[in-house]
Amino acid sequence: MQAEVRAVLDRAERLRQRMASAQEELARTSVTGRAGGGLVTVTLSGLGELRQVHVDAAVFAEGDARRLEELFVAAVRDGAESVRRLASARMGPIEFMSVF
């Protein structure tokens, strides 16, 4: 019985280490979200932290603040989807049920 408990604890520790490693990798990774054909570009970490925003000068020439707001939201959503796919790819192989 004690050996079985030890084996479960060992597997849980390996899982914790793999998850920590995957999170560290995600934190070092950058993804890009774009909108308006690249008029607005955002860079996020693989954990979803916003790192950078770039707005093409053409957006300002139009003088339409509402459009800029919409483009910004669309770019962040695009980036967030990239973060979701990346995290799924990195964390997906970690089988949570393998602990038991």
Side-chain angles (χ1 to χ4, degrees):
M1 176 76 167
Q2 194 172 18
E4 293 170 359
V5 171
R6 182 83 229 140
V8 168
L9 292 175
D10 288 344
R11 285 192 299 265
E13 177 58 21
R14 286 193 303 274
L15 174 62
R16 187 200 63 75
Q17 289 172 350
R18 288 196 321 256
M19 288 180 64
S21 176
Q23 286 180 324
E24 288 171 7
E25 181 182 348
L26 289 171
R28 290 188 306 267
T29 304
S30 292
V31 300
T32 302
R34 292 179 180 82
L39 290 174
V40 175
T41 304
V42 296
T43 303
L44 298 100
S45 75
L47 296 174
E49 179 182 83
L50 184 62
R51 291 183 173 164
Q52 186 177 22
V53 175
H54 173 76
V55 179
D56 189 289
V59 174
F60 296 109
E62 294 175 15
D64 186 354
R66 176 88 173 148
R67 180 162 186 247
L68 175 57
E69 293 167 352
E70 291 169 356
L71 289 171
F72 182 74
V73 169
V76 170
R77 284 184 180 151
D78 183 56
E81 178 59 23
S82 294
V83 166
R84 187 196 62 74
R85 286 192 310 269
L86 178 66
S88 178
R90 295 294 195 285
M91 301 292 274
I94 298 172
E95 297 179 24
F96 295 98
M97 296 308 291
S98 68
V99 174
F100 305 101

